[in-house]
């Protein structure tokens, strides 16, 4: 009953409430990032949602589009602005995804929506992460985020899908707050973000 009905209802109420309360921070972040990124405050990208249905995720844009002499994008670390770094460290870049939650594309809690190009690379077990709406935060995020391997991340995602309850979601929300305060797991060991998934 919780997964089928109440989770979506609570998502909508909570997302709307948080968006209203956080609106001053939302506006300030928008203005600072618009200036830092030369007019581009938002990052919009197609992502697979529940049942692999494609939707457009919206986040605050924390990196510029700067390229090298060959026309290739610079590394994440080189393109990450000072304002963007602060926004990422405090997880404020995730705030616009509350709009995705209101639309029903996402949940507050669930497996993170990854790149569309990863879809053919999943094995049958890993594909089960798409049996629920993707989330702004999730079981994998409070257990390592970008600092854990892809295999471990998928294992945690599937475990959540199979064990989702109201109590578990409350636990994840609480642990997320602690993670944000400590700024844990934002980067992997070798990258400012997370390396690309290249398959099993």
């Amino acid at each position: 009953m919780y997964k089928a009905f109440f989770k979506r209802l609570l998502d909508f109420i909570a997302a709307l409430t948080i968006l209203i309360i956080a609106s001053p921070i939302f506006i300030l972040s928008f203005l600072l990032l618009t200036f830092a990124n030369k007019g581009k405050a938002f990052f919009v990208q197609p992502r697979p949602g529940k049942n692999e249905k494609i939707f457009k995720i919206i986040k605050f844009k924390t990196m510029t589009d700067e390229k090298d002499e060959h026309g290739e994008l610079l590394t994440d670390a080189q393109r990450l602005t000072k304002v963007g770094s602060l926004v990422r460290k405090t997880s404020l870049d995730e705030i616009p995804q509350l709009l995705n939650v209101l639309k029903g594309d996402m949940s507050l809690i669930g497996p993170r929506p990854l790149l569309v190009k990863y879809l053919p690379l999943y094995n049958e077990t890993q594909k089960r992460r798409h049996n629920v709406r993707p989330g702004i935060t999730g079981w994998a995020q409070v257990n390592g985020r970008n600092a854990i391997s892809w295999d471990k991340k998928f294992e945690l995602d599937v475990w959540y899908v199979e064990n989702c309850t109201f109590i578990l979601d409350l636990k994840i929300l609480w642990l997320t707050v602690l993670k944000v305060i400590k700024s844990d797991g934002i980067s992997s060991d070798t990258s400012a973000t997370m390396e690309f998934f290249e398959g099993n």
Side-chain angles (χ1 to χ4, degrees):
M1 180 64 77
Y2 172 67
K3 286 174 66 175
F5 177 73
F6 287 110
K7 183 173 171 67
R8 171 63 189 143
L9 178 62
L10 292 174
D11 275 340
F12 186 88
I13 294 172
L16 183 60
T17 302
I18 295 171
L19 198 55
I20 292 172
I21 294 173
S23 57
I25 299 175
F26 184 101
I27 294 170
L28 179 60
S29 298
F30 171 79
L31 293 174
L32 290 175
L33 289 169
T34 297
F35 177 77
N37 297 329
K38 301 177 181 179
K40 297 180 180 179
F42 295 113
F43 171 80
V44 179
Q45 188 179 58
R47 298 286 177 92
K50 185 178 180 180
N51 299 321
E52 300 185 2
K53 180 180 179 181
I54 307 301
F55 71 97
K56 290 185 177 180
I57 194 173
I58 179 169
K59 300 177 66 175
F60 276 131
K61 187 177 177 66
T62 58
M63 294 185 286
T64 67
D65 296 320
E66 293 178 277
K67 299 179 180 180
D68 60 23
E69 64 273 17
H70 304 294
E72 299 291 332
L73 286 173
L74 298 176
T75 64
D76 290 351
Q78 291 174 306
R79 294 186 294 121
L80 190 63
T81 64
K82 290 182 179 179
V83 174
S85 179
L86 176 62
V87 169
R88 278 183 54 80
K89 186 176 181 180
T90 54
S91 294
L92 293 177
D93 57 320
E94 311 289 358
I95 289 180
Q97 290 171 73
L98 292 169
L99 299 174
N100 289 120
V101 176
L102 291 177
K103 289 176 57 183
D105 297 326
M106 295 178 64
S107 172
L108 288 179
I109 301 165
R112 285 294 297 161
L114 302 175
L115 299 179
V116 174
K117 70 178 183 178
Y118 293 168
L119 287 175
L121 304 179
Y122 300 134
N123 61 37
E124 290 304 312
T125 299
Q126 293 166 349
K127 286 181 179 180
R128 289 158 64 185
R129 68 191 308 279
H130 295 113
N131 289 349
V132 297
R133 286 186 179 87
I136 295 178
T137 186
W139 190 233
Q141 278 59 55
V142 298
N143 283 283
R145 198 174 174 180
N146 289 335
I148 58 177
S149 69
W150 281 111
D151 284 344
K152 185 62 177 178
K153 186 176 294 187
F154 293 143
E155 178 186 328
L156 293 169
D157 285 344
V158 173
W159 185 90
Y160 172 80
V161 171
E162 296 174 344
N163 296 275
C164 175
T165 63
F166 176 65
I167 298 300
L168 178 59
D169 278 358
L170 285 180
K171 179 179 180 179
I172 293 172
L173 280 176
W174 171 244
L175 291 174
T176 297
V177 172
L178 296 181
K179 287 283 184 180
V180 170
I181 293 173
K182 296 178 181 178
S183 300
D184 281 349
I186 293 174
S187 302
S188 70
D189 292 336
T190 57
S191 174
T193 52
M194 182 71 184
E195 294 88 353
F196 287 114
F197 176 56
E198 298 180 352
N200 295 282

